[in-house]
């Protein structure tokens, strides 16, 4: 009976050590990601007003998707975005801190992967004047033609992707 009790103690200590080790690895990865997507990495940061948690919660965020389109539109020359010319897929939230809601936040857009028909984008959200993001919102944007089939990325959109790719291409979140 004493042997089983000792074995249980050893197993509990081992499980605790593994849990602490995993937590440390996750924390180190979060710090590396926060550094990669920090405020200084973006050429342009836009300030927006968040009035409610509902704008940034749920499986997908229509608000953050539209904000992504607005940032792409402002970075391109003559990009016209219509609801049927693209589809967003694979939205993922990476919470690194707590958003100050309601209130102003700053956002930066990064293109981390480009393919002929799509791009993987990361919207970095900062509390006002903070250097590190509190939210990384990753999404894939697929271009579509009139028949809702994948279409090649147009010139105006490619300009926007190039403007947001500097220093980010190949940066996976990998959490």
């Amino acid at each position: 009976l004493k042997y089983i009790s000792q074995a249980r103690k050893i197993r509990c200590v081992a499980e605790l050590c593994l849990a602490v080790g995993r937590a440390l690895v996750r924390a180190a990865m979060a710090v590396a990601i926060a550094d990669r997507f920090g405020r200084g990495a973006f050429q342009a940061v836009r300030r927006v007003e968040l009035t409610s948690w509902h704008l940034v919660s749920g499986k997908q965020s229509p608000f953050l998707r539209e904000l992504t389109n607005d940032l792409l539109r402002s970075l391109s020359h003559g990009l016209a975005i219509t609801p049927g010319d693209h589809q967003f897929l694979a939205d993922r939230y990476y919470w690194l801190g707590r958003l100050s809601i309601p209130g102003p936040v700053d956002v930066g857009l990064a293109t981390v992967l480009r393919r002929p028909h799509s791009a993987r984008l990361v919207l970095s959200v900062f509390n006002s004047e903070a250097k590190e993001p509190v939210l990384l919102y990753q999404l894939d944007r697929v271009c579509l033609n009139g028949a809702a089939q994948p279409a090649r990325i147009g010139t105006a959109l490619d300009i926007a992707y190039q403007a947001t790719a500097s220093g980010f291409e190949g940066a996976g979140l990998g959490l």
Side-chain angles (χ1 to χ4, degrees), residues 138-160:
Q138 174 186 296
L139 62 162
D140 293 343
R141 188 180 191 281
V142 180
C143 293
L144 302 175
N145 62 18
Q149 298 295 320
R152 293 192 77 72
I153 293 170
T155 305
L157 186 56
D158 194 46
I159 289 168

Short mmCIF file of all heavy atoms in Angstrom, two decimals, residues 138-160:
data_model
loop_
_atom_site.label_atom_id
_atom_site.label_comp_id
_atom_site.label_asym_id
_atom_site.label_seq_id
_atom_site.Cartn_x
_atom_site.Cartn_y
_atom_site.Cartn_z
N GLN A 138 -6.27 35.84 -36.99
CA GLN A 138 -5.75 35.27 -38.23
C GLN A 138 -6.91 34.81 -39.10
O GLN A 138 -7.85 34.20 -38.60
CB GLN A 138 -4.85 34.07 -37.91
CG GLN A 138 -4.37 33.34 -39.15
CD GLN A 138 -3.60 32.09 -38.77
OE1 GLN A 138 -2.57 32.18 -38.16
NE2 GLN A 138 -4.13 30.94 -39.13
N LEU A 139 -6.84 35.12 -40.39
CA LEU A 139 -7.87 34.67 -41.31
C LEU A 139 -7.28 34.49 -42.70
O LEU A 139 -6.27 35.11 -43.04
CB LEU A 139 -9.05 35.63 -41.34
CG LEU A 139 -8.84 37.07 -41.79
CD1 LEU A 139 -10.18 37.67 -42.16
CD2 LEU A 139 -8.24 37.89 -40.69
N ASP A 140 -7.90 33.62 -43.47
CA ASP A 140 -7.52 33.40 -44.85
C ASP A 140 -8.54 34.10 -45.74
O ASP A 140 -9.74 34.01 -45.50
CB ASP A 140 -7.49 31.91 -45.19
CG ASP A 140 -6.39 31.16 -44.46
OD1 ASP A 140 -5.46 31.82 -43.95
OD2 ASP A 140 -6.46 29.92 -44.38
N ARG A 141 -8.05 34.81 -46.75
CA ARG A 141 -8.92 35.53 -47.69
C ARG A 141 -8.71 34.93 -49.06
O ARG A 141 -7.61 34.95 -49.60
CB ARG A 141 -8.57 37.02 -47.70
CG ARG A 141 -9.55 37.87 -48.49
CD ARG A 141 -9.12 39.33 -48.45
NE ARG A 141 -10.13 40.22 -48.96
CZ ARG A 141 -10.36 40.42 -50.25
NH1 ARG A 141 -9.64 39.80 -51.16
NH2 ARG A 141 -11.31 41.27 -50.63
N VAL A 142 -9.79 34.35 -49.64
CA VAL A 142 -9.74 33.69 -50.94
C VAL A 142 -10.47 34.57 -51.96
O VAL A 142 -11.61 34.99 -51.72
CB VAL A 142 -10.40 32.30 -50.89
CG1 VAL A 142 -10.34 31.62 -52.25
CG2 VAL A 142 -9.74 31.43 -49.83
N CYS A 143 -9.82 34.85 -53.08
CA CYS A 143 -10.45 35.62 -54.15
C CYS A 143 -11.37 34.71 -54.97
O CYS A 143 -11.02 33.56 -55.24
CB CYS A 143 -9.38 36.22 -55.08
SG CYS A 143 -8.40 37.47 -54.26
N LEU A 144 -12.53 35.24 -55.37
CA LEU A 144 -13.50 34.47 -56.14
C LEU A 144 -13.87 35.22 -57.42
O LEU A 144 -13.85 36.44 -57.46
CB LEU A 144 -14.78 34.25 -55.31
CG LEU A 144 -14.62 33.53 -53.98
CD1 LEU A 144 -15.94 33.51 -53.23
CD2 LEU A 144 -14.08 32.13 -54.18
N ASN A 145 -14.25 34.44 -58.45
CA ASN A 145 -14.75 35.06 -59.68
C ASN A 145 -16.27 35.10 -59.62
O ASN A 145 -16.88 34.74 -58.60
CB ASN A 145 -14.23 34.31 -60.92
CG ASN A 145 -14.70 32.87 -60.97
OD1 ASN A 145 -15.65 32.48 -60.30
ND2 ASN A 145 -14.02 32.07 -61.78
N GLY A 146 -16.92 35.51 -60.70
CA GLY A 146 -18.38 35.63 -60.74
C GLY A 146 -19.11 34.32 -60.53
O GLY A 146 -20.26 34.30 -60.11
N ALA A 147 -18.44 33.20 -60.81
CA ALA A 147 -19.05 31.88 -60.63
C ALA A 147 -18.71 31.29 -59.26
O ALA A 147 -18.89 30.10 -59.04
CB ALA A 147 -18.58 30.94 -61.74
N ALA A 148 -18.19 32.12 -58.36
CA ALA A 148 -17.81 31.70 -57.00
C ALA A 148 -16.71 30.64 -57.00
O ALA A 148 -16.64 29.80 -56.10
CB ALA A 148 -19.03 31.22 -56.21
N GLN A 149 -15.85 30.69 -58.01
CA GLN A 149 -14.70 29.80 -58.10
C GLN A 149 -13.45 30.61 -57.73
O GLN A 149 -13.41 31.82 -57.93
CB GLN A 149 -14.55 29.25 -59.53
CG GLN A 149 -15.72 28.42 -59.99
CD GLN A 149 -15.84 27.15 -59.18
OE1 GLN A 149 -14.86 26.50 -58.85
NE2 GLN A 149 -17.08 26.80 -58.85
N PRO A 150 -12.41 29.95 -57.19
CA PRO A 150 -11.18 30.69 -56.87
C PRO A 150 -10.63 31.42 -58.09
O PRO A 150 -10.63 30.88 -59.19
CB PRO A 150 -10.21 29.59 -56.42
CG PRO A 150 -11.10 28.50 -55.92
CD PRO A 150 -12.33 28.54 -56.81
N ALA A 151 -10.21 32.66 -57.87
CA ALA A 151 -9.68 33.50 -58.95
C ALA A 151 -8.32 34.03 -58.53
O ALA A 151 -8.02 34.16 -57.35
CB ALA A 151 -10.64 34.66 -59.23
N ARG A 152 -7.51 34.34 -59.51
CA ARG A 152 -6.19 34.90 -59.23
C ARG A 152 -6.33 36.27 -58.56
O ARG A 152 -7.25 37.01 -58.83
CB ARG A 152 -5.37 35.01 -60.50
CG ARG A 152 -5.02 33.63 -61.09
CD ARG A 152 -3.98 33.70 -62.16
NE ARG A 152 -2.62 33.87 -61.71
CZ ARG A 152 -1.88 32.95 -61.09
NH1 ARG A 152 -2.39 31.80 -60.79
NH2 ARG A 152 -0.63 33.20 -60.77
N ILE A 153 -5.36 36.57 -57.72
CA ILE A 153 -5.33 37.86 -57.02
C ILE A 153 -5.08 38.96 -58.03
O ILE A 153 -4.18 38.86 -58.87
CB ILE A 153 -4.23 37.85 -55.94
CG1 ILE A 153 -4.60 36.85 -54.85
CG2 ILE A 153 -4.00 39.23 -55.37
CD1 ILE A 153 -3.48 36.58 -53.86
N GLY A 154 -5.88 40.02 -58.00
CA GLY A 154 -5.74 41.14 -58.92
C GLY A 154 -4.56 42.03 -58.54
O GLY A 154 -3.99 41.93 -57.45
N THR A 155 -4.21 42.94 -59.44
CA THR A 155 -3.06 43.81 -59.24
C THR A 155 -3.22 44.72 -58.03
O THR A 155 -2.30 44.86 -57.23
CB THR A 155 -2.83 44.67 -60.50
OG1 THR A 155 -2.69 43.81 -61.63
CG2 THR A 155 -1.57 45.52 -60.36
N ALA A 156 -4.39 45.34 -57.87
CA ALA A 156 -4.60 46.25 -56.74
C ALA A 156 -4.49 45.51 -55.41
O ALA A 156 -3.88 46.00 -54.46
CB ALA A 156 -5.95 46.94 -56.86
N LEU A 157 -5.08 44.34 -55.33
CA LEU A 157 -5.01 43.56 -54.10
C LEU A 157 -3.58 43.08 -53.84
O LEU A 157 -3.12 43.06 -52.70
CB LEU A 157 -5.97 42.37 -54.17
CG LEU A 157 -6.11 41.54 -52.90
CD1 LEU A 157 -6.54 42.39 -51.71
CD2 LEU A 157 -7.12 40.41 -53.13
N ASP A 158 -2.87 42.72 -54.90
CA ASP A 158 -1.48 42.29 -54.75
C ASP A 158 -0.61 43.42 -54.18
O ASP A 158 0.28 43.18 -53.37
CB ASP A 158 -0.93 41.80 -56.08
CG ASP A 158 0.38 41.03 -55.91
OD1 ASP A 158 0.44 40.17 -55.01
OD2 ASP A 158 1.33 41.32 -56.66
N ILE A 159 -0.89 44.65 -54.59
CA ILE A 159 -0.16 45.81 -54.04
C ILE A 159 -0.39 45.91 -52.54
O ILE A 159 0.54 46.14 -51.77
CB ILE A 159 -0.60 47.10 -54.76
CG1 ILE A 159 -0.06 47.11 -56.20
CG2 ILE A 159 -0.13 48.35 -54.02
CD1 ILE A 159 -0.67 48.19 -57.07
N ALA A 160 -1.65 45.72 -52.12
CA ALA A 160 -1.97 45.79 -50.69
C ALA A 160 -1.29 44.65 -49.93
O ALA A 160 -0.75 44.86 -48.83
CB ALA A 160 -3.48 45.74 -50.48
#
